[in-house]
Short mmCIF file of all heavy atoms in Angstrom, two decimals:
data_model
loop_
_atom_site.label_atom_id
_atom_site.label_comp_id
_atom_site.label_asym_id
_atom_site.label_seq_id
_atom_site.Cartn_x
_atom_site.Cartn_y
_atom_site.Cartn_z
N VAL A 519 0.44 1.19 -25.41
CA VAL A 519 -0.14 0.17 -26.28
C VAL A 519 -1.14 0.81 -27.24
O VAL A 519 -1.25 0.40 -28.40
CB VAL A 519 -0.79 -0.96 -25.46
CG1 VAL A 519 -1.46 -1.97 -26.38
CG2 VAL A 519 0.26 -1.65 -24.59
N ALA A 520 -1.90 1.80 -26.77
CA ALA A 520 -2.85 2.48 -27.65
C ALA A 520 -2.13 3.12 -28.83
O ALA A 520 -2.62 3.07 -29.97
CB ALA A 520 -3.62 3.54 -26.86
N PHE A 521 -0.98 3.71 -28.57
CA PHE A 521 -0.19 4.31 -29.65
C PHE A 521 0.23 3.24 -30.66
O PHE A 521 0.14 3.45 -31.88
CB PHE A 521 1.05 5.00 -29.06
CG PHE A 521 1.99 5.54 -30.10
CD1 PHE A 521 1.71 6.73 -30.76
CD2 PHE A 521 3.15 4.85 -30.42
CE1 PHE A 521 2.58 7.22 -31.72
CE2 PHE A 521 4.02 5.34 -31.39
CZ PHE A 521 3.72 6.53 -32.04
N ARG A 522 0.65 2.09 -30.17
CA ARG A 522 1.04 1.00 -31.07
C ARG A 522 -0.15 0.50 -31.89
O ARG A 522 0.00 0.19 -33.08
CB ARG A 522 1.63 -0.15 -30.24
CG ARG A 522 2.92 0.18 -29.52
CD ARG A 522 4.08 0.31 -30.50
NE ARG A 522 4.24 -0.91 -31.27
CZ ARG A 522 5.00 -1.95 -30.86
NH1 ARG A 522 5.62 -1.89 -29.69
NH2 ARG A 522 5.13 -3.01 -31.62
N ILE A 523 -1.30 0.42 -31.26
CA ILE A 523 -2.49 -0.08 -31.96
C ILE A 523 -2.93 0.89 -33.06
O ILE A 523 -3.31 0.48 -34.16
CB ILE A 523 -3.63 -0.31 -30.95
CG1 ILE A 523 -3.32 -1.53 -30.07
CG2 ILE A 523 -4.97 -0.51 -31.66
CD1 ILE A 523 -4.29 -1.74 -28.94
N PHE A 524 -2.88 2.19 -32.77
CA PHE A 524 -3.23 3.17 -33.79
C PHE A 524 -2.23 3.13 -34.94
O PHE A 524 -2.59 3.36 -36.10
CB PHE A 524 -3.25 4.58 -33.18
CG PHE A 524 -4.54 4.91 -32.50
CD1 PHE A 524 -4.56 5.23 -31.16
CD2 PHE A 524 -5.74 4.91 -33.19
CE1 PHE A 524 -5.74 5.53 -30.51
CE2 PHE A 524 -6.94 5.22 -32.56
CZ PHE A 524 -6.94 5.53 -31.22
N LYS A 525 -0.98 2.81 -34.62
CA LYS A 525 0.08 2.84 -35.63
C LYS A 525 0.03 1.64 -36.56
O LYS A 525 0.16 1.78 -37.79
CB LYS A 525 1.44 2.92 -34.94
CG LYS A 525 2.61 3.06 -35.90
CD LYS A 525 3.92 3.20 -35.13
CE LYS A 525 5.10 3.34 -36.07
NZ LYS A 525 6.39 3.46 -35.33
N ASN A 526 -0.18 0.44 -36.01
CA ASN A 526 -0.10 -0.75 -36.87
C ASN A 526 -1.24 -1.75 -36.65
O ASN A 526 -1.12 -2.90 -37.03
CB ASN A 526 1.24 -1.48 -36.65
CG ASN A 526 1.41 -1.91 -35.19
OD1 ASN A 526 0.46 -1.95 -34.42
ND2 ASN A 526 2.64 -2.23 -34.82
N GLY A 527 -2.34 -1.29 -36.07
CA GLY A 527 -3.44 -2.20 -35.78
C GLY A 527 -4.48 -2.26 -36.89
O GLY A 527 -4.46 -1.45 -37.83
N GLN A 528 -5.38 -3.21 -36.78
CA GLN A 528 -6.50 -3.33 -37.70
C GLN A 528 -7.62 -4.10 -37.00
O GLN A 528 -7.37 -4.84 -36.05
CB GLN A 528 -6.09 -4.07 -38.97
CG GLN A 528 -5.61 -5.50 -38.74
CD GLN A 528 -5.15 -6.16 -40.03
OE1 GLN A 528 -4.91 -5.49 -41.03
NE2 GLN A 528 -5.01 -7.47 -40.00
N PRO A 529 -8.85 -3.90 -37.43
CA PRO A 529 -9.96 -4.62 -36.79
C PRO A 529 -9.83 -6.13 -36.96
O PRO A 529 -9.33 -6.61 -37.98
CB PRO A 529 -11.20 -4.08 -37.52
CG PRO A 529 -10.76 -2.77 -38.09
CD PRO A 529 -9.31 -2.94 -38.45
N ALA A 530 -10.26 -6.87 -35.97
CA ALA A 530 -10.25 -8.33 -36.06
C ALA A 530 -11.37 -8.80 -36.98
O ALA A 530 -12.41 -8.15 -37.10
CB ALA A 530 -10.41 -8.94 -34.68
N GLU A 531 -11.16 -9.92 -37.64
CA GLU A 531 -12.17 -10.46 -38.53
C GLU A 531 -13.36 -10.99 -37.75
O GLU A 531 -13.22 -11.49 -36.63
CB GLU A 531 -11.57 -11.59 -39.37
CG GLU A 531 -10.53 -11.14 -40.37
CD GLU A 531 -10.06 -12.28 -41.25
OE1 GLU A 531 -10.55 -13.41 -41.06
OE2 GLU A 531 -9.21 -12.04 -42.12
N VAL A 532 -14.54 -10.88 -38.35
CA VAL A 532 -15.76 -11.40 -37.74
C VAL A 532 -16.40 -12.41 -38.70
O VAL A 532 -16.11 -12.41 -39.90
CB VAL A 532 -16.75 -10.27 -37.41
CG1 VAL A 532 -16.21 -9.38 -36.32
CG2 VAL A 532 -17.08 -9.45 -38.66
N VAL A 533 -17.28 -13.25 -38.17
CA VAL A 533 -17.90 -14.30 -38.99
C VAL A 533 -19.22 -13.85 -39.58
O VAL A 533 -19.81 -14.55 -40.41
CB VAL A 533 -18.12 -15.58 -38.16
CG1 VAL A 533 -16.79 -16.12 -37.67
CG2 VAL A 533 -19.05 -15.31 -36.98
N ALA A 534 -19.72 -12.68 -39.16
CA ALA A 534 -20.98 -12.16 -39.67
C ALA A 534 -20.96 -10.64 -39.48
O ALA A 534 -20.21 -10.13 -38.64
CB ALA A 534 -22.17 -12.78 -38.95
N PRO A 535 -21.77 -9.90 -40.24
CA PRO A 535 -21.77 -8.44 -40.12
C PRO A 535 -22.08 -7.94 -38.71
O PRO A 535 -21.56 -6.93 -38.28
CB PRO A 535 -22.84 -8.00 -41.11
CG PRO A 535 -22.89 -9.10 -42.13
CD PRO A 535 -22.63 -10.36 -41.35
N THR A 536 -22.96 -8.63 -38.00
CA THR A 536 -23.31 -8.24 -36.63
C THR A 536 -23.23 -9.45 -35.71
O THR A 536 -23.28 -10.60 -36.16
CB THR A 536 -24.74 -7.66 -36.56
OG1 THR A 536 -25.68 -8.70 -36.85
CG2 THR A 536 -24.91 -6.52 -37.55
N SER A 537 -23.13 -9.19 -34.42
CA SER A 537 -23.08 -10.28 -33.46
C SER A 537 -24.41 -11.03 -33.42
O SER A 537 -24.44 -12.24 -33.16
CB SER A 537 -22.74 -9.75 -32.06
OG SER A 537 -23.77 -8.89 -31.58
N GLY A 538 -25.51 -10.32 -33.70
CA GLY A 538 -26.81 -10.97 -33.74
C GLY A 538 -26.90 -12.00 -34.85
O GLY A 538 -27.42 -13.11 -34.65
N GLU A 539 -26.38 -11.64 -36.02
CA GLU A 539 -26.37 -12.59 -37.13
C GLU A 539 -25.45 -13.78 -36.83
O GLU A 539 -25.76 -14.92 -37.20
CB GLU A 539 -25.91 -11.89 -38.41
CG GLU A 539 -26.90 -10.84 -38.93
CD GLU A 539 -26.41 -10.19 -40.21
OE1 GLU A 539 -26.04 -10.93 -41.15
OE2 GLU A 539 -26.39 -8.94 -40.28
N ALA A 540 -24.35 -13.50 -36.17
CA ALA A 540 -23.45 -14.59 -35.80
C ALA A 540 -24.14 -15.57 -34.86
O ALA A 540 -23.99 -16.79 -34.99
CB ALA A 540 -22.19 -14.02 -35.15
N GLN A 541 -24.91 -15.04 -33.91
CA GLN A 541 -25.64 -15.91 -32.99
C GLN A 541 -26.69 -16.72 -33.72
O GLN A 541 -26.89 -17.91 -33.44
CB GLN A 541 -26.31 -15.06 -31.90
CG GLN A 541 -25.33 -14.43 -30.91
CD GLN A 541 -24.61 -15.46 -30.07
OE1 GLN A 541 -25.24 -16.27 -29.40
NE2 GLN A 541 -23.29 -15.43 -30.11
N ALA A 542 -27.37 -16.09 -34.68
CA ALA A 542 -28.40 -16.80 -35.45
C ALA A 542 -27.78 -17.94 -36.26
O ALA A 542 -28.33 -19.05 -36.34
CB ALA A 542 -29.13 -15.83 -36.37
N ARG A 543 -26.63 -17.67 -36.88
CA ARG A 543 -25.94 -18.70 -37.66
C ARG A 543 -25.49 -19.85 -36.76
O ARG A 543 -25.62 -21.03 -37.12
CB ARG A 543 -24.73 -18.10 -38.37
CG ARG A 543 -25.07 -17.14 -39.49
CD ARG A 543 -23.80 -16.71 -40.21
NE ARG A 543 -24.08 -15.69 -41.21
CZ ARG A 543 -23.14 -15.15 -42.00
NH1 ARG A 543 -21.87 -15.56 -41.86
NH2 ARG A 543 -23.46 -14.22 -42.87
N LEU A 544 -24.96 -19.50 -35.59
CA LEU A 544 -24.49 -20.52 -34.67
C LEU A 544 -25.64 -21.41 -34.20
O LEU A 544 -25.51 -22.64 -34.14
CB LEU A 544 -23.80 -19.87 -33.48
CG LEU A 544 -23.24 -20.82 -32.41
CD1 LEU A 544 -22.20 -21.75 -33.02
CD2 LEU A 544 -22.62 -20.02 -31.27
N LYS A 545 -26.77 -20.79 -33.88
CA LYS A 545 -27.93 -21.56 -33.45
C LYS A 545 -28.40 -22.49 -34.57
O LYS A 545 -28.81 -23.63 -34.32
CB LYS A 545 -29.06 -20.62 -33.03
CG LYS A 545 -28.79 -19.88 -31.74
CD LYS A 545 -29.94 -18.95 -31.40
CE LYS A 545 -29.66 -18.20 -30.10
NZ LYS A 545 -30.76 -17.24 -29.77
N SER A 546 -28.35 -22.00 -35.81
CA SER A 546 -28.76 -22.82 -36.95
C SER A 546 -27.82 -24.01 -37.11
O SER A 546 -28.27 -25.15 -37.34
CB SER A 546 -28.76 -21.98 -38.23
OG SER A 546 -29.09 -22.77 -39.35
N ILE A 547 -26.51 -23.78 -36.96
CA ILE A 547 -25.53 -24.86 -37.08
C ILE A 547 -25.74 -25.89 -35.97
O ILE A 547 -25.71 -27.10 -36.22
CB ILE A 547 -24.10 -24.29 -37.02
CG1 ILE A 547 -23.82 -23.43 -38.26
CG2 ILE A 547 -23.07 -25.41 -36.91
CD1 ILE A 547 -22.49 -22.70 -38.20
N LEU A 548 -25.95 -25.41 -34.75
CA LEU A 548 -26.15 -26.32 -33.63
C LEU A 548 -27.43 -27.13 -33.80
O LEU A 548 -27.48 -28.32 -33.48
CB LEU A 548 -26.21 -25.53 -32.32
CG LEU A 548 -24.90 -24.85 -31.89
CD1 LEU A 548 -25.13 -24.00 -30.64
CD2 LEU A 548 -23.81 -25.87 -31.65
N LYS A 549 -28.47 -26.49 -34.36
CA LYS A 549 -29.73 -27.19 -34.59
C LYS A 549 -29.57 -28.27 -35.64
O LYS A 549 -30.05 -29.40 -35.50
CB LYS A 549 -30.81 -26.19 -35.01
CG LYS A 549 -32.19 -26.80 -35.16
CD LYS A 549 -33.21 -25.73 -35.49
CE LYS A 549 -34.61 -26.34 -35.63
NZ LYS A 549 -35.62 -25.30 -35.97
N GLU A 550 -28.84 -27.94 -36.72
CA GLU A 550 -28.60 -28.93 -37.78
C GLU A 550 -27.74 -30.08 -37.26
O GLU A 550 -27.97 -31.24 -37.61
CB GLU A 550 -27.91 -28.25 -38.96
CG GLU A 550 -28.82 -27.26 -39.71
CD GLU A 550 -28.07 -26.56 -40.82
OE1 GLU A 550 -26.87 -26.87 -41.03
OE2 GLU A 550 -28.67 -25.69 -41.49
N THR A 551 -26.73 -29.73 -36.43
CA THR A 551 -25.87 -30.77 -35.88
C THR A 551 -26.66 -31.71 -34.98
O THR A 551 -26.49 -32.94 -35.04
CB THR A 551 -24.72 -30.13 -35.07
OG1 THR A 551 -23.98 -29.25 -35.93
CG2 THR A 551 -23.80 -31.19 -34.50
N ALA A 552 -27.52 -31.14 -34.15
CA ALA A 552 -28.34 -31.97 -33.27
C ALA A 552 -29.28 -32.86 -34.07
O ALA A 552 -29.51 -34.02 -33.73
CB ALA A 552 -29.14 -31.08 -32.32
N SER A 553 -29.81 -32.30 -35.18
CA SER A 553 -30.71 -33.09 -36.02
C SER A 553 -29.97 -34.23 -36.69
O SER A 553 -30.45 -35.36 -36.76
CB SER A 553 -31.35 -32.18 -37.08
OG SER A 553 -32.17 -32.93 -37.95
N ASP A 554 -28.75 -33.96 -37.18
CA ASP A 554 -27.95 -35.00 -37.83
C ASP A 554 -27.58 -36.09 -36.84
O ASP A 554 -27.57 -37.28 -37.18
CB ASP A 554 -26.68 -34.39 -38.43
CG ASP A 554 -26.99 -33.48 -39.61
OD1 ASP A 554 -28.11 -33.59 -40.17
OD2 ASP A 554 -26.14 -32.66 -39.97
#
Side-chain angles (χ1 to χ4, degrees):
V519 177
F521 175 77
R522 295 288 303 272
I523 289 173
F524 277 120
K525 184 177 180 181
N526 59 16
Q528 62 183 16
E531 292 185 0
V532 293
V533 298
T536 67
S537 64
E539 292 181 50
Q541 290 295 303
R543 291 185 185 181
L544 180 59
K545 289 179 180 178
S546 177
I547 293 173
L548 293 175
K549 185 176 180 180
E550 291 177 2
T551 302
S553 177
D554 292 342

